[in-house]
Amino acid sequence: LNDNPSHYKITLSGTVKSPKINFNPPFLMLMPVPLDVKTETAINIIPQDYLRQSQIQVELPELKLEDGDRIYPFSVQFPEGQNIVLSSDGTNKELICHISFKSSRPVSFLGNMFFIDEEEN
């Protein structure tokens, strides 16, 4: 360039990929159990297109019983941590999540559990 009056034009193009997570299995059905007995299963969380570390948080459902009481019978644990990490090959490592249910009251539930990253996706 060095004071050369020639003009250079650069054209850039790209694709924006939004980070997302998938689940294996994609839905969960826990088996009926007696009162005060815990049932548990593990799911794999498969992050895709995360370019920096993020942490997964979980919004657990609150159940309203017939008498108006509210309970939180679900719990989650991440035995290897909740951080989405970018591997050296550019992929994201899968996370394992243990979901459990235990209730001292009879209850049946069909609903959603929300997994949210640090940017509220």
Side-chain angles (χ1 to χ4, degrees), residues 16-100:
V16 176
K17 293 184 176 183
S18 296
K20 62 182 178 179
I21 55 176
N22 292 311
F23 300 90
N24 185 20
F27 66 92
L28 181 65
M29 185 176 358
L30 296 171
M31 299 307 295
V33 292
L35 296 178
D36 284 324
V37 173
K38 182 165 75 169
T39 182
E40 182 176 39
T41 193
I43 61 169
N44 289 327
I45 299 173
I46 307 159
Q48 294 178 325
D49 300 323
Y50 279 84
L51 300 177
R52 62 179 177 263
Q53 182 171 310
S54 188
Q55 189 175 70
I56 296 291
Q57 300 295 324
V58 185
E59 288 183 4
L60 299 174
E62 172 188 71
L63 306 185
K64 186 176 180 182
L65 303 177
E66 290 178 7
D67 64 3
D69 285 352
R70 297 178 183 275
I71 61 171
Y72 293 88
F74 292 97
S75 63
V76 296
Q77 291 183 332
F78 292 85
E80 298 174 8
Q82 295 172 240
N83 291 329
I84 297 173
V85 178
L86 184 64
S87 300
S88 59
D89 64 358
T91 61
N92 299 120
K93 182 181 173 189
E94 290 185 13
L95 302 172
I96 297 171
C97 179
H98 290 244
I99 300 173
S100 62

Side-chain angles (χ1 to χ4, degrees), residues 1 4-10:
L1 298 169
N4 187 344
S6 299
H7 295 283
Y8 296 91
K9 182 178 180 180
I10 297 175

